[in-house]
Amino acid sequence: GGLGSPALYYLTVAGVGEIGIVDTDVVSLSNLNRQILHTETDLQRPKVESAVEKLQKLDASIRFHPMQVYLDENNAQEILTGYDLIVDCVDNDDTRYLINRWAVRLGIPLVEGGVRGLEGYILPILPGKSPCYRCVSPEKTKRESDPIPVLGGTAGAVGAMEAIVGIRMLLGQSVP
């Protein structure tokens, strides 16, 4: 998506050796203003296929694991186990809480990010060492409809920052 495209791009060009990508959706025209890995020629293609195709051209040595599934309670443990870092680029609270819960259970560092209109946030989570997403946001956020849709540049900036924070976490550096 809008956060995942730049996050994946920058994690790839930084040389992160193995990257799992989970998304059940296909590319639609409304995605193109913020999902920079996709173009009009990708319309109706699975996002994971389109993304991997572009990312492999940036660094063919990276091992990508595209998963065209919806992440849920039944498959989260299997999908997330074995990774050194999770970068959460989802657009709904239910999946955020699910990812947070499994990251904490599995002890996997997590970079949580989100955008709304012209604003965004990043939350680095180190299980057992920092507050988790549910600690910071114990209940789903009640949102009114946004008068301003997500600006592509906002999603791009937050996704790029998620990649930077994630790389710092992988390197064992402190994160703000």
Side-chain angles (χ1 to χ4, degrees):
L3 299 175
S5 286
L8 285 166
Y9 186 98
Y10 288 113
L11 291 167
T12 298
V13 298
V16 172
E18 190 166 345
I19 299 174
I21 306 170
V22 179
D23 198 317
T24 188
D25 205 1
V26 297
V27 178
S28 65
L29 189 60
S30 65
N31 299 148
L32 300 183
N33 75 313
R34 65 193 179 284
Q35 297 183 15
I36 60 173
L37 284 178
H38 311 296
T39 66
E40 288 183 357
T41 60
D42 298 314
L43 294 177
Q44 298 309 306
R45 287 184 66 201
K47 288 182 182 180
V48 293
E49 288 179 14
S50 172
V52 168
E53 176 184 281
K54 312 299 185 316
L55 296 167
Q56 285 180 326
K57 291 177 182 177
L58 295 169
D59 188 336
S61 71
I62 306 291
R63 288 188 318 257
F64 293 99
H65 302 279
M67 295 166 260
Q68 189 181 2
V69 298
Y70 187 81
L71 186 73
D72 62 25
E73 195 62 52
N74 296 320
N75 61 19
Q77 181 176 6
E78 179 183 351
I79 288 172
L80 300 175
T81 297
Y83 287 99
D84 297 324
L85 175 74
I86 300 168
V87 180
D88 180 351
C89 299
V90 302
D91 61 1
N92 69 82
D93 282 338
D94 289 336
T95 308
R96 279 190 184 91
Y97 288 122
L98 173 75
I99 292 170
N100 176 76
R101 185 169 53 256
W102 280 103
V104 170
R105 282 182 191 168
L106 297 170
I108 302 172
L110 167 63
V111 181
E112 167 60 43
V115 293
R116 184 172 180 212
L118 302 175
E119 300 176 350
Y121 71 90
I122 299 168
L123 176 64
I125 299 167
L126 296 168
K129 296 180 182 176
S130 71
C132 70
Y133 181 71
R134 184 159 301 275
C135 298
V136 174
S137 182
E139 296 180 14
K140 292 180 190 178
T141 306
K142 294 181 181 176
R143 297 186 175 127
E144 297 176 22
S145 61
D146 289 320
I148 301 171
V150 173
L151 180 68
T154 304
V158 172
M161 289 301 299
E162 280 188 282
I164 292 167
V165 169
I167 291 165
R168 289 182 67 175
M169 292 169 87
L170 288 170
L171 295 173
Q173 296 181 357
S174 65
V175 291

